[in-house]
Amino acid sequence: MTFELETAKEPEKLKRVVIEPVSRVEGHGKVTILLDDEDRVHQVRLHIVEFRGFERFIQGRPYWEVPVMVQRLCGICPVSHHLVAAKAMDVIVGAKQLTPTAEKLRRLMHYGQMLQSHALHFFHLASPDLLFGFDSDIAKRNIVAVVEAYPEIAKQGVLLRKFGQEVIRLTAGKRVHGTGAIPGGMNKNLSREEREILLKDIYHMVAWSRDAVHLAKKLYTDDMERNTQFGYFRSNMLGLIRADGALDLYHGGLRARTETGETIFDHVDYSHYSDYINEEVKSWSYMKFPFIISKGTQDGWYKVGPLARINNCDFIDTPLAETERRDFVAYGHGFPIHSPLAYHWARMIEMLHAAETIKDLLHDDDVSGNDLMVKGEKALEGVGVLEAPRGTLFHHYRIDENDQVTMANLIVSTTSNNHAMNEAVRQVAKQYLDGHTVTEPLLNHIEVAIRAFDPCLSCATHAVGKMPLMVEILDAEGRALDRVYKDGAGEVGCAV
Amino acid sequence: MSDNTITIDGQAVPFAPGQTIMEAAMAAGVYIPHLCHNPEFTPHGSCKLCTVTVNGRNAASCTMPAAPGMVVQNDTEELNANRRALTQMLFVEGNHVCPFCEKSGNCQLQAMGYFLGMMDPHYDQFYPPRDVDASHPDILLDLNRCILCELCVRASRDVDGKNVFGVTGRGPHTRITVNSASGRLGDTDMAVTDRAADVCPVGAILKKRHGFEVPIGQRTYDHKTIKDVHMEEAGK
Ligand code: SF4
Ligand code: FES
């Protein structure tokens, strides 16, 4: 299926603009734009090179190795892969219901991950754009400048992230690439001393997370008109939901709603995900395009992540985050909010929920229990799903009689958001492409749109505004008419 | 000085007749780094990590019998540099991916790397194609991590009396084989309670379905060096 601006009628007659982040790690993306002689936009595509080698690499490995191994997939949220693979392997070892201790420890690890990833995403990567403006001097649009101009905000961002990492360390054994979750449960509990360490700081974390929601809201509502319009599109939304309709980032059934908030399906057992979701392959992209089967490829694409989740849930079971959710939802006047930049606001509401949940779990004696493991009858297939910081994450494995993995299928959040990000980039190109000269503001705006969904693609290893990008305008024969690059130091130059 | 004494790095070390330099040293509380040596089994002398200088010439201390008056250098910069290089070679010759290996923290090769101050593999990785044999219901054989110490061969033959493992090939093609018609471990009479199932210093022979059960912080080498552990085992 094709969408407006996805495929031009006579591409050979058009000029081509290529925007390519020359990044080395994580997702690697490239934007191409086709223009006619009047500089009208005819086609915009975001191509994401997805790392799929893993699914082959894991074949033949013993299943219990998978939750540790999959953490190599993502530098920002390894814990999400760790936990979701462990959930799939719970099914394989026949652990139908984890012990309360194991389940709560898993949740603690997951919410620690949510806290650190959301803090990184908002404070380190997005806040410079939002605080200084998308068009501000690149040299000033970074976390260092935030530290200078808003020292208190920057400090809180750093400490929130550190706290989340500390929760991960104490539950998984290490800040990165730990081993806490194993098929059927956890390999350690949280001692009383470890709880005390975290309890000392958690109240600050809750308070600062609340401040962060207010900051995100202010930055959004200060320029309401621009921010609601920026990269605007409407779509279906997908995510996990608890049986009672509460936001639940660790476990639940699948809920999909339309752009106006009507139910497509609800409380679906995710082990049957493939009856509800399929992935379309398009010739021009390495990354697949998932869609809701009942709505078809044309109408069935959806978005995931904080905005989809906050729109989709009926309530949040922690009081401060619930208050903020109501405030947020009110801005939709009865309809879901779809503006990409609202992702940041929704993200901070989730961060507050994560902080509150961590606080409650730290007070729960179950997390210091010793009943860590259950096992039952072995199965040869397992599906795990959870809500990773960037959205719904699916892991599906099959093993043979010898315990070796024979099949792995992963749908990562970035893939679920593939179409949505394409749509956002199309809107931004329409709104901000000014003639066929590639301007720095256009680069920045595209970067800002992608970053609303996904920090990896905008490359977390590069400071904001320093994402190496290459943009080319090619004529119909592929000759470069104009080329602008931005190197890793944020310097902009002309190569033709 | 009595007859049955050698010196190691200037320290007098007594030995009983028939003892190797390694045995004498460990009994006296002098650590000589080693991987293929295990006091329970006949010496093998394949990893060469235990190489010391004896009266000016290099020799494997785990196989060299102690003799009166031997002058041995052990803990020298040069010998330790050689040991580090040997360890690096062992790493690149196999497929050792510590971050997701279930033996991590309990692995002697990894612990030796840390002990010798190995900061990187230094040499180019071989990435050899190696087999995983999961046919046994309770034991996994992952030759990606095998360092050919042949402890499994010795344990199965000398302790279990089963001769499950053998060695085949030469040079870089040397590999452990399984003595069954199919060549698969599932077709042998090996049991998970065998000594051979428990002897591998790395993660090549593993008990199935127990990976990562011991949390980080409680694994053998999380707070101890391989020297500490070996000396404790020697009762020192
Ligand atoms: S399998 Fe283990 S015990 Fe056997 S030779 Fe290889 S490393 Fe040594
Ligand atoms: S320990 Fe002596 S050669 Fe291996």
Side-chain angles (χ1 to χ4, degrees):
Chain A
M1 281 295 160
T2 56
F3 295 82
E4 191 204 348
L5 294 186
E6 183 186 319
T7 303
K9 282 209 175 59
E10 297 174 288
E12 59 290 344
K13 296 202 175 127
L14 302 171
K15 287 190 291 273
R16 180 179 295 269
V17 182
V18 183
I19 303 177
E20 183 165 18
V22 199
S23 62
R24 292 156 296 150
V25 283
E26 316 292 351
H28 174 118
K30 178 170 93 169
V31 178
T32 58
I33 303 172
L34 295 190
L35 307 169
D36 65 17
D37 286 338
E38 268 91 60
D39 296 329
R40 283 184 301 245
V41 180
H42 283 253
Q43 177 180 301
V44 182
R45 288 171 172 177
L46 167 66
H47 315 249
I48 305 166
V49 180
E50 191 185 14
F51 175 64
R52 300 291 284 201
F54 172 79
E55 275 138 318
R56 273 194 308 279
F57 180 69
I58 202 146
Q59 307 230 345
R61 299 308 309 168
Y63 71 79
W64 55 88
E65 199 175 79
V66 175
V68 176
M69 183 187 276
V70 287
Q71 299 183 85
R72 319 303 291 180
L73 280 172
C74 176
I76 295 189
C77 57
V79 171
S80 305
H81 287 288
H82 178 55
L83 288 172
V84 76
K87 285 183 82 176
M89 296 313 168
D90 291 342
V91 179
I92 280 179
V93 300
K96 290 202 166 54
Q97 176 72 53
L98 296 188
T99 67
T101 294
E103 157 123 15
K104 285 173 185 174
L105 287 163
R106 293 248 191 112
R107 283 180 180 273
L108 193 53
M109 195 196 301
H110 187 48
Y111 283 85
Q113 156 78 0
M114 206 49 90
L115 190 79
Q116 78 87 16
S117 173
H118 278 2
L120 172 82
H121 196 152
F122 181 71
F123 289 99
H124 295 66
L125 298 170
S127 82
D129 292 332
L130 305 172
L131 288 167
F132 301 124
F134 308 165
D135 300 321
S136 61
D137 184 359
I138 295 178
K140 290 225 187 74
R141 216 152 19 91
N142 55 48
I143 186 72
V144 179
V146 178
V147 172
E148 275 165 23
Y150 305 93
E152 201 49 32
I153 291 174
K155 186 184 107 193
Q156 291 174 5
V158 169
L159 292 178
L160 279 161
R161 173 145 196 256
K162 233 176 117 190
F163 182 83
Q165 289 171 324
E166 200 56 10
V167 174
I168 293 169
R169 185 180 71 81
L170 292 172
T171 47
K174 272 164 82 182
R175 271 170 52 173
V176 277
H177 303 145
T179 64
I182 51 179
M186 291 285 294
N187 67 14
K188 77 181 279 285
N189 67 7
L190 202 65
S191 69
R192 280 171 199 281
E193 298 73 53
E194 289 169 331
R195 281 160 70 189
E196 287 306 318
I197 295 172
L198 295 173
L199 276 168
K200 272 209 304 271
D201 293 324
I202 185 62
Y203 294 94
H204 285 308
M205 300 304 147
V206 173
W208 291 345
S209 297
R210 193 152 164 258
D211 292 345
V213 181
H214 297 157
L215 174 64
K217 176 187 171 182
K218 181 176 182 306
L219 291 169
Y220 185 81
T221 51
D222 270 356
D223 191 347
M224 201 66 179
E225 204 185 311
R226 198 262 327 244
N227 290 339
T228 43
Q229 286 312 311
F230 183 84
Y232 183 81
F233 66 91
R234 303 202 304 181
S235 73
N236 305 308
M237 298 158 293
L238 179 93
L240 285 183
I241 199 79
R242 204 165 77 182
D244 60 359
L247 176 73
D248 193 329
L249 302 170
Y250 178 73
H251 194 64
L254 289 169
R255 169 179 280 184
R257 287 190 166 169
T258 65
E259 59 181 52
T260 52
E262 275 142 47
T263 301
I264 304 171
F265 52 74
D266 210 357
H267 302 298
V268 162
D269 174 355
Y270 60 61
S271 59
H272 303 303
Y273 78 97
S274 58
D275 295 337
Y276 295 84
I277 289 161
N278 204 346
E279 293 179 277
E280 190 190 12
V281 176
K282 298 196 187 200
S283 59
W284 58 267
S285 177
Y286 288 109
M287 184 173 266
K288 292 182 192 165
F289 291 83
F291 62 96
I292 293 160
I293 293 171
S294 65
K295 301 206 71 160
T297 49
Q298 181 72 28
D299 299 322
W301 61 280
Y302 56 88
K303 62 177 164 257
V304 297
L307 186 57
R309 293 188 290 237
I310 297 296
N311 277 326
N312 258 358
C313 72
D314 304 333
F315 67 101
I316 298 178
D317 70 356
T318 55
L320 298 177
E322 171 61 7
T323 305
E324 300 300 337
R325 185 196 69 86
R326 289 181 186 203
D327 184 33
F328 176 86
V329 164
Y331 279 81
H333 304 290
F335 288 97
I337 294 171
H338 288 288
S339 307
L341 287 176
Y343 259 94
H344 294 303
W345 184 2
R347 184 168 288 122
M348 290 302 95
I349 296 173
E350 286 191 343
M351 186 170 82
L352 175 57
H353 171 58
E356 288 184 283
T357 306
I358 292 170
K359 177 183 71 103
D360 293 345
L361 286 167
L362 288 174
H363 283 105
D364 189 332
D365 285 342
D366 275 351
V367 299
S368 299
N370 290 312
D371 198 4
L372 292 166
M373 291 289 294
V374 276
K375 279 193 180 156
E377 203 181 318
K378 188 166 140 188
L380 296 180
E381 186 165 3
V383 177
V385 179
L386 57 62
E387 288 295 329
R390 290 171 284 143
T392 320
L393 175 62
F394 298 77
H395 278 209
H396 180 187
Y397 301 98
R398 268 189 219 118
I399 64 163
D400 62 15
E401 307 290 336
N402 292 334
D403 300 328
Q404 290 173 287
V405 174
T406 56
M407 189 281 305
N409 184 42
L410 275 52
I411 306 177
V412 302
S413 328
T414 307
T415 308
S416 279
N417 272 335
N418 191 4
H419 195 110
M421 285 189 285
N422 259 280
E423 209 53 43
V425 169
R426 267 173 219 145
Q427 298 309 322
V428 168
K430 260 206 308 209
Q431 288 165 354
Y432 296 95
L433 187 69
D434 181 18
H436 63 251
T437 335
V438 181
T439 56
E440 205 198 321
L442 177 69
L443 293 190
N444 292 339
H445 284 77
I446 286 175
E447 207 182 324
V448 168
I450 296 172
R451 189 175 296 119
F453 296 83
D454 204 312
C456 296
L457 273 179
S458 44
C459 188
T461 60
H462 294 279
V464 175
K466 294 187 178 176
M467 170 182 181
L469 278 169
M470 165 105 75
V471 182
E472 285 183 318
I473 305 182
L474 308 175
D475 65 13
E477 275 80 53
R479 283 188 298 259
L481 298 177
D482 188 14
R483 183 184 293 145
V484 176
Y485 65 86
K486 193 161 71 157
D487 69 11
E491 295 291 315
V492 176
C494 253
V496 175
Chain B
M1 206 178 263
S2 91
D3 266 353
N4 285 346
T5 302
I6 58 176
T7 64
I8 302 181
D9 297 331
Q11 178 187 338
V13 171
F15 67 91
Q19 268 189 329
T20 59
I21 297 174
M22 174 73 77
E23 285 161 345
M26 294 297 282
V30 174
Y31 181 62
I32 304 178
H34 57 271
L35 278 175
C36 74
H37 170 73
N38 179 324
E40 277 181 63
F41 304 100
T42 42
H44 185 249
S46 61
C47 75
K48 304 297 176 208
L49 230 73
C50 67
T51 299
V52 292
T53 309
V54 184
N55 298 341
R57 295 178 61 174
N58 283 354
S61 62
C62 70
T63 49
M64 170 76 92
M70 272 181 170
V71 179
V72 176
Q73 270 91 43
N74 167 40
D75 189 10
T76 71
E77 216 166 283
E78 190 190 336
L79 286 167
N80 284 329
N82 288 343
R83 289 169 183 147
R84 191 160 51 240
L86 284 168
T87 308
Q88 286 165 322
M89 288 178 202
L90 287 173
F91 267 96
V92 301
E93 280 167 16
N95 300 309
H96 300 275
V97 193
C98 299
F100 53 80
C101 177
E102 61 184 278
K103 191 79 175 191
S104 196
N106 295 313
C107 172
Q108 295 190 26
L109 181 66
Q110 183 190 45
M112 189 57 79
Y114 281 124
F115 179 72
L116 295 170
M118 174 182 152
M119 303 306 284
D120 60 29
H122 182 77
Y123 304 104
D124 286 342
Q125 298 281 355
F126 284 29
Y127 297 120
R130 300 261 188 95
D131 292 331
V132 176
D133 177 353
S135 59
H136 193 285
D138 302 313
I139 302 164
L140 180 79
L141 181 63
D142 184 349
L143 294 179
N144 284 294
R145 303 160 183 158
C146 175
I147 57 169
L148 291 166
C149 67
E150 292 186 34
L151 275 165
C152 55
V153 179
R154 289 178 270 168
S156 186
R157 183 190 61 212
D158 303 343
V159 180
D160 306 327
K162 291 187 181 175
N163 247 327
V164 168
F165 297 103
V167 189
T168 184
R170 295 167 62 109
H173 304 294
T174 313
R175 62 190 170 84
I176 289 293
T177 51
V178 172
N179 294 324
S180 68
S182 62
R184 312 265 287 162
L185 199 61
D187 295 324
T188 67
D189 59 351
M190 183 164 178
V192 71
T193 45
D194 286 357
R195 184 69 183 98
D198 211 23
V199 77
C200 182
V202 292
I205 300 175
L206 294 161
K207 292 180 184 166
K208 276 187 170 181
R209 298 177 293 276
H210 291 285
F212 307 104
E213 276 180 0
V214 180
I216 295 168
Q218 293 172 31
R219 302 169 308 180
T220 310
Y221 302 109
D222 280 336
H223 303 294
K224 287 178 185 166
T225 67
I226 192 166
K227 175 182 174 181
D228 299 337
V229 173
H230 277 157
M231 295 320 285
E232 271 170 30
E233 282 167 3
K236 296 292 148 188

